[in-house]
Amino acid sequence: MVYYDIHTHHLPVHPEDVAVVNRIVPAPDTGTGRYRSVGIHPWYIYNVEEQLAELERQASFPNVVAIGETGLDKGAEAPMDRQQEIFKASVSLAENAGIFLIIHCVKAWDELIALKKGLKPRVPWIIHGFRGNATLAGQLIRQGFYLSFGERFNPDAVREAWPGRLFAETDDREIDIRTVYRNLSASLDLSLEQFAAQIARNAHDILHLP
């Protein structure tokens, strides 16, 4: 059974897992990880031109399968218009490469939905580390978003996303993706095998992961 961790800041505990290891630009690239995502986090916006140039450079690496995490955060120091500039450029990179987008969003759901309606992306947009309630989950799913759940989650939101809009992750937590799978499958009253089989289908069919 293969486990899919679609957003992590650590190398996988088990090398056979498919883990998308995140690198936040402008941190130097170490080339670690069989599968990678690269992005400019809204907390770490310093020099837009230099960061976007470095993001574009790293996005061309053959093991990069996603752009992000990128997004909108009303608690970040960077002004919202600057965050949106970075976000739109990240969307363009993902669209051109045909790879999925991993999104960090804090208290900016209306702005994010408006961007999706305006940009009309073809590639999947995934909200990572989703902890919101079922009402917000349903609203996002109706707008075409996918949701990724980690160590902490709202069980009703998980049920809203199941089966075809759900992914799993460890993010920056010191936790095994197997534990995340067990907790999510238990919240759905499913066997681990049933849950893992559906996540594998989502990863193959939607994200084109192996």
Side-chain angles (χ1 to χ4, degrees):
M1 188 161 61
V2 178
Y3 292 80
Y4 290 83
D5 186 346
I6 66 108
H7 179 72
T8 181
H9 294 265
H10 306 291
L11 290 175
V13 175
H14 306 278
E16 66 272 21
D17 293 347
V18 175
V20 181
V21 181
N22 183 242
R23 173 65 57 189
I24 296 174
V25 174
D29 180 71
T30 60
T32 56
R34 186 167 40 139
Y35 304 103
R36 300 288 306 284
S37 64
V38 292
I40 302 172
H41 194 289
W43 291 355
Y44 307 114
I45 296 174
Y46 306 117
N47 185 313
V48 171
E49 289 186 5
E50 289 183 8
Q51 285 180 273
L52 285 175
E54 179 62 15
L55 176 63
E56 186 170 359
R57 186 185 75 84
Q58 293 191 29
S60 68
F61 294 171
N63 62 343
V64 169
V65 297
I67 299 296
E69 60 190 282
T70 184
L72 308 175
D73 189 329
K74 289 190 175 178
E77 291 184 4
M80 187 55 61
D81 60 348
R82 185 60 52 86
Q83 294 184 42
Q84 292 202 14
E85 178 186 355
I86 292 283
F87 185 81
K88 289 176 182 177
S90 302
V91 170
S92 179
L93 277 175
E95 288 288 307
N96 290 337
I99 54 181
F100 62 97
L101 191 74
I102 299 172
I103 298 170
H104 167 104
C105 185
V106 176
K107 299 179 179 178
W109 300 110
D110 290 343
E111 291 86 348
L112 182 63
I113 290 170
L115 281 166
K116 192 170 192 301
K117 288 179 177 178
L119 295 172
K120 297 179 174 60
R122 292 169 293 126
V123 302
W125 284 20
I126 303 175
I127 309 294
H128 102 84
F130 187 78
R131 299 179 188 175
N133 60 29
T135 300
L136 177 58
Q139 181 184 10
L140 292 167
I141 288 166
R142 286 190 295 275
Q143 296 298 330
F145 289 92
Y146 297 85
L147 305 181
S148 179
F149 299 88
E151 184 177 25
R152 294 170 58 192
F153 58 86
N154 181 313
D156 291 334
V158 172
R159 285 189 282 274
E160 193 74 25
W162 181 260
R165 293 278 164 175
L166 191 152
F167 293 98
E169 64 175 77
T170 58
D171 194 15
D172 58 356
R173 304 292 184 182
E174 296 289 346
I175 185 173
D176 191 338
I177 191 63
R178 286 159 168 71
T179 300
V180 176
Y181 267 51
R182 283 195 295 270
N183 293 342
L184 290 170
S185 61
S187 77
L188 292 164
D189 295 321
L190 294 172
S191 71
L192 180 61
E193 291 74 17
Q194 287 175 300
F195 179 83
Q198 180 63 50
I199 298 301
R201 281 193 291 273
N202 293 349
H204 296 159
D205 297 345
I206 299 164
L207 307 184
H208 308 299
L209 291 172

Short mmCIF file of all heavy atoms in Angstrom, two decimals, residues 114-153:
data_model
loop_
_atom_site.label_atom_id
_atom_site.label_comp_id
_atom_site.label_asym_id
_atom_site.label_seq_id
_atom_site.Cartn_x
_atom_site.Cartn_y
_atom_site.Cartn_z
N ALA A 114 -12.47 34.77 -5.23
CA ALA A 114 -12.56 35.75 -6.32
C ALA A 114 -11.42 35.56 -7.32
O ALA A 114 -11.64 35.66 -8.54
CB ALA A 114 -12.52 37.17 -5.76
N LEU A 115 -10.24 35.25 -6.83
CA LEU A 115 -9.11 35.00 -7.73
C LEU A 115 -9.36 33.77 -8.58
O LEU A 115 -9.06 33.76 -9.78
CB LEU A 115 -7.81 34.83 -6.92
CG LEU A 115 -7.17 36.12 -6.44
CD1 LEU A 115 -6.10 35.83 -5.38
CD2 LEU A 115 -6.53 36.88 -7.61
N LYS A 116 -9.91 32.72 -7.98
CA LYS A 116 -10.17 31.50 -8.75
C LYS A 116 -11.20 31.76 -9.84
O LYS A 116 -11.05 31.30 -10.98
CB LYS A 116 -10.62 30.36 -7.85
CG LYS A 116 -10.62 29.00 -8.55
CD LYS A 116 -10.83 27.88 -7.58
CE LYS A 116 -10.52 26.54 -8.22
NZ LYS A 116 -11.35 26.26 -9.40
N LYS A 117 -12.25 32.52 -9.49
CA LYS A 117 -13.26 32.84 -10.49
C LYS A 117 -12.68 33.67 -11.62
O LYS A 117 -13.03 33.49 -12.79
CB LYS A 117 -14.41 33.58 -9.83
CG LYS A 117 -15.29 32.71 -8.93
CD LYS A 117 -16.40 33.54 -8.30
CE LYS A 117 -17.33 32.69 -7.46
NZ LYS A 117 -18.39 33.51 -6.80
N GLY A 118 -11.79 34.60 -11.28
CA GLY A 118 -11.22 35.48 -12.28
C GLY A 118 -10.17 34.81 -13.15
O GLY A 118 -10.10 35.05 -14.37
N LEU A 119 -9.34 33.95 -12.54
CA LEU A 119 -8.22 33.34 -13.27
C LEU A 119 -8.63 32.08 -14.03
O LEU A 119 -7.96 31.68 -14.96
CB LEU A 119 -7.08 33.03 -12.30
CG LEU A 119 -6.43 34.27 -11.65
CD1 LEU A 119 -5.43 33.85 -10.57
CD2 LEU A 119 -5.72 35.13 -12.70
N LYS A 120 -9.69 31.42 -13.57
CA LYS A 120 -10.22 30.22 -14.24
C LYS A 120 -9.12 29.18 -14.51
O LYS A 120 -8.85 28.80 -15.65
CB LYS A 120 -10.92 30.59 -15.56
CG LYS A 120 -12.14 31.48 -15.37
CD LYS A 120 -12.78 31.83 -16.70
CE LYS A 120 -14.08 32.60 -16.52
NZ LYS A 120 -13.92 33.87 -15.79
N PRO A 121 -8.46 28.70 -13.47
CA PRO A 121 -7.33 27.77 -13.67
C PRO A 121 -7.77 26.42 -14.22
O PRO A 121 -8.89 25.97 -13.98
CB PRO A 121 -6.76 27.62 -12.26
CG PRO A 121 -7.94 27.83 -11.36
CD PRO A 121 -8.75 28.91 -12.04
N ARG A 122 -6.86 25.79 -14.92
CA ARG A 122 -7.08 24.44 -15.42
C ARG A 122 -6.48 23.39 -14.47
O ARG A 122 -6.93 22.26 -14.44
CB ARG A 122 -6.47 24.29 -16.81
CG ARG A 122 -7.18 25.11 -17.90
CD ARG A 122 -6.38 25.14 -19.19
NE ARG A 122 -5.14 25.90 -19.00
CZ ARG A 122 -3.93 25.45 -19.28
NH1 ARG A 122 -3.77 24.22 -19.75
NH2 ARG A 122 -2.87 26.20 -19.08
N VAL A 123 -5.42 23.78 -13.75
CA VAL A 123 -4.76 22.83 -12.85
C VAL A 123 -5.46 22.82 -11.49
O VAL A 123 -6.13 23.78 -11.12
CB VAL A 123 -3.27 23.18 -12.69
CG1 VAL A 123 -2.57 23.19 -14.04
CG2 VAL A 123 -3.07 24.52 -11.97
N PRO A 124 -5.31 21.73 -10.73
CA PRO A 124 -5.96 21.66 -9.41
C PRO A 124 -5.37 22.67 -8.43
O PRO A 124 -4.16 22.87 -8.37
CB PRO A 124 -5.65 20.22 -8.95
CG PRO A 124 -5.29 19.46 -10.19
CD PRO A 124 -4.65 20.45 -11.09
N TRP A 125 -6.28 23.30 -7.66
CA TRP A 125 -5.89 24.16 -6.55
C TRP A 125 -6.24 23.42 -5.26
O TRP A 125 -7.41 23.09 -5.03
CB TRP A 125 -6.65 25.48 -6.60
CG TRP A 125 -6.17 26.47 -7.63
CD1 TRP A 125 -5.43 26.21 -8.74
CD2 TRP A 125 -6.42 27.89 -7.63
NE1 TRP A 125 -5.21 27.38 -9.44
CE2 TRP A 125 -5.80 28.42 -8.78
CE3 TRP A 125 -7.12 28.74 -6.78
CZ2 TRP A 125 -5.86 29.77 -9.10
CZ3 TRP A 125 -7.17 30.09 -7.09
CH2 TRP A 125 -6.55 30.61 -8.24
N ILE A 126 -5.25 23.21 -4.40
CA ILE A 126 -5.44 22.45 -3.17
C ILE A 126 -5.19 23.35 -1.96
O ILE A 126 -4.11 23.94 -1.83
CB ILE A 126 -4.49 21.23 -3.10
CG1 ILE A 126 -4.69 20.33 -4.31
CG2 ILE A 126 -4.71 20.45 -1.81
CD1 ILE A 126 -3.71 19.18 -4.37
N ILE A 127 -6.17 23.45 -1.06
CA ILE A 127 -5.99 24.15 0.20
C ILE A 127 -5.27 23.20 1.15
O ILE A 127 -5.81 22.16 1.51
CB ILE A 127 -7.33 24.57 0.83
CG1 ILE A 127 -8.22 25.32 -0.17
CG2 ILE A 127 -7.07 25.38 2.10
CD1 ILE A 127 -7.69 26.64 -0.61
N HIS A 128 -4.07 23.55 1.55
CA HIS A 128 -3.34 22.63 2.42
C HIS A 128 -3.66 22.90 3.89
O HIS A 128 -4.02 24.01 4.28
CB HIS A 128 -1.83 22.73 2.14
CG HIS A 128 -1.07 23.53 3.15
ND1 HIS A 128 -0.62 22.99 4.32
CD2 HIS A 128 -0.67 24.83 3.15
CE1 HIS A 128 0.01 23.92 5.01
NE2 HIS A 128 0.00 25.04 4.32
N GLY A 129 -3.55 21.83 4.70
CA GLY A 129 -3.77 21.95 6.13
C GLY A 129 -5.13 22.50 6.50
O GLY A 129 -5.26 23.29 7.43
N PHE A 130 -6.17 22.07 5.80
CA PHE A 130 -7.49 22.65 6.01
C PHE A 130 -8.04 22.25 7.38
O PHE A 130 -8.11 21.07 7.72
CB PHE A 130 -8.46 22.21 4.91
CG PHE A 130 -9.79 22.90 4.99
CD1 PHE A 130 -9.92 24.20 4.54
CD2 PHE A 130 -10.89 22.26 5.53
CE1 PHE A 130 -11.15 24.87 4.62
CE2 PHE A 130 -12.12 22.91 5.61
CZ PHE A 130 -12.24 24.22 5.16
N ARG A 131 -8.44 23.26 8.16
CA ARG A 131 -9.00 23.02 9.50
C ARG A 131 -10.39 23.63 9.66
O ARG A 131 -10.94 23.63 10.76
CB ARG A 131 -8.07 23.61 10.58
CG ARG A 131 -6.68 23.00 10.60
CD ARG A 131 -5.85 23.67 11.68
NE ARG A 131 -4.45 23.25 11.61
CZ ARG A 131 -3.49 23.75 12.38
NH1 ARG A 131 -3.79 24.69 13.27
NH2 ARG A 131 -2.24 23.33 12.26
N GLY A 132 -10.94 24.17 8.59
CA GLY A 132 -12.23 24.84 8.66
C GLY A 132 -13.38 23.88 8.86
O GLY A 132 -13.22 22.65 8.87
N ASN A 133 -14.56 24.44 8.97
CA ASN A 133 -15.75 23.63 9.20
C ASN A 133 -16.35 23.12 7.90
O ASN A 133 -15.87 23.43 6.80
CB ASN A 133 -16.79 24.41 10.02
CG ASN A 133 -17.25 25.68 9.32
OD1 ASN A 133 -17.26 25.77 8.09
ND2 ASN A 133 -17.65 26.67 10.11
N ALA A 134 -17.42 22.35 8.03
CA ALA A 134 -18.03 21.72 6.86
C ALA A 134 -18.66 22.75 5.93
O ALA A 134 -18.67 22.57 4.70
CB ALA A 134 -19.07 20.70 7.29
N THR A 135 -19.19 23.83 6.49
CA THR A 135 -19.81 24.86 5.66
C THR A 135 -18.79 25.50 4.73
O THR A 135 -19.03 25.65 3.52
CB THR A 135 -20.46 25.94 6.55
OG1 THR A 135 -21.46 25.32 7.37
CG2 THR A 135 -21.11 27.03 5.70
N LEU A 136 -17.63 25.89 5.29
CA LEU A 136 -16.57 26.46 4.46
C LEU A 136 -16.04 25.42 3.47
O LEU A 136 -15.80 25.74 2.30
CB LEU A 136 -15.44 26.99 5.33
CG LEU A 136 -14.22 27.56 4.60
CD1 LEU A 136 -14.62 28.72 3.69
CD2 LEU A 136 -13.15 28.01 5.60
N ALA A 137 -15.88 24.18 3.94
CA ALA A 137 -15.41 23.12 3.05
C ALA A 137 -16.33 22.97 1.85
O ALA A 137 -15.88 22.89 0.69
CB ALA A 137 -15.30 21.80 3.81
N GLY A 138 -17.64 22.95 2.10
CA GLY A 138 -18.59 22.80 1.01
C GLY A 138 -18.54 23.97 0.05
O GLY A 138 -18.64 23.78 -1.18
N GLN A 139 -18.40 25.17 0.57
CA GLN A 139 -18.31 26.36 -0.28
C GLN A 139 -17.09 26.27 -1.19
O GLN A 139 -17.18 26.55 -2.41
CB GLN A 139 -18.23 27.61 0.59
CG GLN A 139 -18.15 28.92 -0.21
CD GLN A 139 -17.96 30.14 0.68
OE1 GLN A 139 -17.71 30.00 1.89
NE2 GLN A 139 -18.06 31.32 0.11
N LEU A 140 -15.96 25.87 -0.64
CA LEU A 140 -14.73 25.77 -1.43
C LEU A 140 -14.83 24.66 -2.47
O LEU A 140 -14.42 24.83 -3.62
CB LEU A 140 -13.53 25.54 -0.51
CG LEU A 140 -13.17 26.72 0.39
CD1 LEU A 140 -12.19 26.28 1.48
CD2 LEU A 140 -12.56 27.86 -0.43
N ILE A 141 -15.40 23.54 -2.08
CA ILE A 141 -15.53 22.41 -3.01
C ILE A 141 -16.44 22.79 -4.18
O ILE A 141 -16.16 22.44 -5.33
CB ILE A 141 -16.03 21.17 -2.25
CG1 ILE A 141 -14.91 20.62 -1.36
CG2 ILE A 141 -16.52 20.10 -3.22
CD1 ILE A 141 -15.37 19.63 -0.33
N ARG A 142 -17.50 23.51 -3.90
CA ARG A 142 -18.39 23.94 -4.98
C ARG A 142 -17.68 24.89 -5.95
O ARG A 142 -18.09 24.97 -7.12
CB ARG A 142 -19.64 24.61 -4.39
CG ARG A 142 -20.63 23.63 -3.77
CD ARG A 142 -21.95 24.28 -3.43
NE ARG A 142 -21.83 25.29 -2.39
CZ ARG A 142 -21.85 25.02 -1.09
NH1 ARG A 142 -22.00 23.78 -0.66
NH2 ARG A 142 -21.77 26.02 -0.21
N GLN A 143 -16.67 25.57 -5.49
CA GLN A 143 -15.88 26.45 -6.35
C GLN A 143 -14.73 25.71 -7.04
O GLN A 143 -13.93 26.33 -7.74
CB GLN A 143 -15.32 27.62 -5.54
CG GLN A 143 -16.38 28.54 -4.97
CD GLN A 143 -17.23 29.21 -6.03
OE1 GLN A 143 -16.76 29.47 -7.15
NE2 GLN A 143 -18.49 29.49 -5.72
N GLY A 144 -14.64 24.39 -6.81
CA GLY A 144 -13.65 23.58 -7.52
C GLY A 144 -12.35 23.35 -6.79
O GLY A 144 -11.41 22.77 -7.35
N PHE A 145 -12.26 23.75 -5.52
CA PHE A 145 -11.05 23.51 -4.74
C PHE A 145 -10.99 22.07 -4.26
O PHE A 145 -12.02 21.40 -4.12
CB PHE A 145 -10.99 24.43 -3.52
CG PHE A 145 -10.74 25.88 -3.82
CD1 PHE A 145 -11.81 26.75 -4.02
CD2 PHE A 145 -9.45 26.38 -3.90
CE1 PHE A 145 -11.59 28.09 -4.28
CE2 PHE A 145 -9.23 27.72 -4.16
CZ PHE A 145 -10.29 28.58 -4.36
N TYR A 146 -9.75 21.62 -3.97
CA TYR A 146 -9.51 20.37 -3.28
C TYR A 146 -8.99 20.72 -1.88
O TYR A 146 -8.39 21.78 -1.68
CB TYR A 146 -8.48 19.52 -4.02
CG TYR A 146 -8.94 19.10 -5.40
CD1 TYR A 146 -8.75 19.93 -6.50
CD2 TYR A 146 -9.56 17.87 -5.60
CE1 TYR A 146 -9.19 19.56 -7.77
CE2 TYR A 146 -10.00 17.48 -6.86
CZ TYR A 146 -9.80 18.34 -7.94
OH TYR A 146 -10.24 17.97 -9.18
N LEU A 147 -9.20 19.81 -0.91
CA LEU A 147 -8.78 20.06 0.46
C LEU A 147 -7.81 18.98 0.92
O LEU A 147 -8.04 17.79 0.69
CB LEU A 147 -9.99 20.08 1.39
CG LEU A 147 -11.13 21.04 1.02
CD1 LEU A 147 -12.25 20.95 2.05
CD2 LEU A 147 -10.63 22.47 0.89
N SER A 148 -6.75 19.41 1.59
CA SER A 148 -5.78 18.48 2.16
C SER A 148 -5.79 18.62 3.68
O SER A 148 -5.75 19.73 4.20
CB SER A 148 -4.38 18.77 1.61
OG SER A 148 -3.42 17.89 2.19
N PHE A 149 -5.85 17.48 4.36
CA PHE A 149 -5.99 17.46 5.81
C PHE A 149 -4.74 16.85 6.45
O PHE A 149 -4.15 15.91 5.91
CB PHE A 149 -7.21 16.65 6.22
CG PHE A 149 -8.50 17.21 5.70
CD1 PHE A 149 -9.00 16.85 4.45
CD2 PHE A 149 -9.23 18.12 6.45
CE1 PHE A 149 -10.19 17.36 3.97
CE2 PHE A 149 -10.43 18.65 5.98
CZ PHE A 149 -10.91 18.27 4.73
N GLY A 150 -4.38 17.37 7.61
CA GLY A 150 -3.20 16.89 8.32
C GLY A 150 -3.54 16.40 9.71
O GLY A 150 -4.56 15.77 9.95
N GLU A 151 -2.66 16.75 10.66
CA GLU A 151 -2.79 16.24 12.02
C GLU A 151 -4.07 16.73 12.70
O GLU A 151 -4.72 15.99 13.43
CB GLU A 151 -1.57 16.68 12.84
CG GLU A 151 -1.53 16.14 14.24
CD GLU A 151 -0.27 16.53 14.98
OE1 GLU A 151 0.34 17.57 14.63
OE2 GLU A 151 0.11 15.81 15.92
N ARG A 152 -4.44 17.98 12.46
CA ARG A 152 -5.66 18.55 13.06
C ARG A 152 -6.67 18.81 11.95
O ARG A 152 -6.33 19.37 10.91
CB ARG A 152 -5.32 19.84 13.79
CG ARG A 152 -4.43 19.64 15.00
CD ARG A 152 -3.94 20.97 15.55
NE ARG A 152 -5.05 21.85 15.92
CZ ARG A 152 -4.91 23.14 16.20
NH1 ARG A 152 -3.71 23.70 16.13
NH2 ARG A 152 -5.95 23.87 16.52
N PHE A 153 -7.93 18.40 12.20
CA PHE A 153 -8.95 18.57 11.16
C PHE A 153 -10.33 18.53 11.79
O PHE A 153 -10.52 18.04 12.91
CB PHE A 153 -8.82 17.48 10.09
CG PHE A 153 -8.93 16.07 10.63
CD1 PHE A 153 -10.16 15.45 10.80
CD2 PHE A 153 -7.78 15.35 10.98
CE1 PHE A 153 -10.28 14.16 11.31
CE2 PHE A 153 -7.88 14.06 11.49
CZ PHE A 153 -9.13 13.46 11.65
#
